[in-house]
Amino acid sequence: MLLYIFYFFAVISIYLGLLSLRGGVRFVRYLQKEIAEELGDYTPFVTVFVPCRGVDVGLKENVLSLFAQNYPAYEIIFVSDSADDGAFAVIEAARHAFKKQTGPVISTVVAGHATGSGQKVHNLREAVSFAHPNSRAFVFADTDARPQKFWLRALVAPLQTDSIAATTGYRWFVAARAGFASHLLSVWNAAIASALGARGDKNFCWGGATAIRRDSFEKLNIVARWRGTVSDDFTMTHVLHEAGLPVKFVPHCLTPSFHRTTWTELVEFTTRQLKVTRAYAPHLWKSVFIGSQIFVVTFFGGVLLVAARATLGLTFITPLMFLLLIFAMGAVKSHLRLRAVELVIADERMRTWSTTLAHTCLWPFASLLFLANAWAAAVSRRITWRGITYELKSPTETVILSRE
């Protein structure tokens, strides 16, 4: 009986695996097509907003990468809740270390403590009012990512087209050391990255690499729509889709984030992402919950089934072949995705044997982690983000419970 139950779920998993593999191939083809095209020459004066809280690993290098963008004229506004934020000292050190003759106009803003929204959202709502009147587009970046020199040009250029109100990139975690938790985080995150593609009505904004035309930002009243929220990017995505405006994914703006992750940090980060997803996009959370549950029951249950039948001297070739097929489809998708992203992120750590092995072999464990995250999100809406604990009451109601 157990064998037939396994076959039933295995067939479902193979079908879902084929759909996932097809999506992965589409992601790779879209990425290859986009990066083969020359960058546009639309380079208006823009404002880059960078919310800060605390000192991230590699912060100075990340800030210097923002200073060194291949872009004619832009300003960067760094914003934090406190003038004593250690990030400001690092930013000042990076400013003095910047050796190019030309660069952006740099300023800092102290937003104060948030009360009824996420601190990042509060920071951005305050910082927007300091944008230069000549700025034609607003760009949002994160302090834990390291944009490449063409990042800003690639992100802004598509906004020349009237039908495109916003563009986005996405993070790509690069393990700074060969640790299991660091590699698993990279594989887990990669699954989300490949959900982006040619469908502007399906794409989502990522707060670490999003550009939006200023007139669209103001017309959509995004500052007001941010009130009471904890997720700047989910809210912006919802507002844009609500207005029928597409979000263009720009593969050039896949942005490396170099990290050394502990198990505690891995679980905290991934669980927070799913809790935020449940609050702001419950349909996506349900898809993750159901899809990962089917896979975990099938794959890991199948491994136990094969082991038990082998121990009892029963035939196990057929269920083993099912498992190998399921694993192979996921491994092929992960490998193709990694090789494609290497075309954008030219870092030697992307090509190490440990990175290749991780993306080829760890994806089942990423699915197991997704399931654990989804279950955690099902029973709690409490998150801790950069030392502040929130309760996500609804997409427009956030309660701050404590602050470090």
Side-chain angles (χ1 to χ4, degrees):
M1 184 64 178
L2 284 176
L3 189 60
Y4 290 110
I5 293 175
F6 167 75
Y7 287 151
F8 174 76
F9 282 103
V11 169
I12 296 175
S13 294
I14 289 171
Y15 173 72
L16 294 176
L18 286 170
L19 293 180
S20 178
L21 180 58
R22 183 181 67 175
V25 170
R26 286 175 175 171
F27 171 81
V28 171
R29 287 177 176 171
Y30 177 78
L31 187 148
Q32 292 172 332
K33 171 181 171 293
E34 288 290 310
I35 64 175
E37 297 179 0
E38 292 188 8
L39 296 179
D41 55 5
Y42 179 63
T43 55
F45 183 81
V46 300
T47 303
V48 180
F49 298 99
V50 188
C52 313
R53 195 168 201 269
V55 179
D56 295 286
V57 174
L59 176 59
K60 184 177 180 180
E61 291 77 9
N62 297 346
V63 170
L64 283 169
S65 72
L66 287 170
F67 293 171
Q69 290 296 300
N70 181 7
Y71 200 88
Y74 63 107
E75 65 174 346
I76 304 177
I77 299 177
F78 295 95
V79 55
S80 178
D81 61 330
S82 172
D84 297 326
D85 192 332
F88 282 163
V90 177
I91 291 164
E92 188 61 25
R95 189 206 301 255
H96 288 298
F98 187 62
K99 301 300 183 183
K100 290 182 65 176
Q101 291 184 346
T102 60
V105 177
I106 303 164
S107 61
T108 58
V109 172
V110 177
H113 288 176
T115 53
S117 65
Q119 186 63 56
K120 181 182 181 183
V121 168
H122 174 76
N123 289 354
L124 291 174
R125 294 183 73 223
E126 284 293 315
V128 163
S129 63
F130 289 86
H132 194 282
N134 292 338
S135 179
R136 309 309 301 163
F138 291 164
V139 181
F140 302 92
D142 282 344
T143 54
D144 60 353
R146 193 170 302 169
Q148 301 183 85
K149 65 180 182 180
F150 47 74
W151 175 84
L152 186 56
R153 183 181 292 267
L155 200 58
V156 172
L159 298 180
Q160 184 175 21
T161 303
D162 290 339
S163 61
I164 299 175
T167 59
T168 191
Y170 199 68
R171 77 168 72 85
W172 187 274
F173 283 116
V174 180
R177 64 183 180 191
F180 189 91
S182 296
H183 282 303
L184 183 55
L185 176 58
S186 181
V187 176
W188 183 95
N189 179 78
I192 303 172
S194 56
L196 294 161
R199 291 283 303 273
D201 59 327
K202 299 293 184 182
N203 289 333
F204 52 87
C205 299
W206 173 54
T210 287
I212 181 170
R213 289 205 306 271
R214 184 174 188 166
D215 57 356
S216 297
F217 184 91
E218 293 173 346
K219 182 179 180 181
L220 296 171
N221 203 13
I222 288 177
V223 168
R225 299 294 293 270
W226 271 339
R227 186 180 295 114
T229 70
V230 78
S231 176
D232 55 311
D233 40 21
F234 262 125
T235 302
M236 188 180 294
T237 299
H238 175 72
V239 172
L240 287 165
H241 287 175
E242 186 180 67
L245 297 172
V247 178
K248 180 177 176 59
F249 169 49
V250 184
H252 279 105
C253 299
L254 283 166
T255 309
S257 180
F258 300 96
H259 66 106
R260 298 186 296 272
T261 305
T262 65
W263 282 102
T264 300
E265 292 167 341
L266 169 68
V267 173
E268 180 183 352
F269 174 82
T270 56
T271 300
R272 183 173 69 243
Q273 301 305 305
L274 264 292
K275 287 182 178 181
V276 172
T277 299
R278 188 190 174 208
Y280 289 88
H283 64 289
L284 295 179
W285 169 79
K286 289 177 183 176
S287 296
V288 171
F289 184 79
I290 294 171
S292 59
Q293 194 147 251
I294 291 173
F295 173 81
V296 167
V297 168
T298 303
F299 187 82
F300 291 100
V303 170
L304 293 175
L305 177 66
V306 168
R309 291 182 68 86
T311 302
L312 296 172
L314 301 174
T315 179
F316 59 87
I317 297 300
T318 302
L320 178 61
M321 294 305 294
F322 273 97
L323 286 178
L324 291 175
L325 178 58
I326 293 170
F327 179 82
M329 287 190 295
V332 169
K333 176 185 176 180
S334 296
H335 184 74
L336 289 175
R337 179 174 57 208
L338 177 64
R339 296 283 85 88
V341 173
E342 283 179 5
L343 300 175
V344 179
I345 302 176
D347 187 274
E348 60 183 12
R349 283 165 288 194
M350 292 283 291
R351 298 172 176 80
T352 62
W353 68 269
S354 59
T355 296
T356 300
L357 189 64
H359 279 264
T360 304
C361 299
L362 293 187
W363 69 269
F365 297 97
S367 295
L368 185 62
L369 181 56
F370 268 114
L371 180 58
N373 303 144
W375 270 108
V379 299
S380 172
R381 293 194 174 209
R382 184 171 297 187
I383 65 170
T384 300
W385 190 1
R386 293 189 180 251
I388 304 175
T389 301
Y390 305 95
E391 185 77 26
L392 309 181
K393 295 289 187 180
S394 75
T396 57
E397 184 181 2
T398 302
V399 177
I400 298 177
L401 301 178
S402 65
R403 177 189 297 270
E404 291 181 3

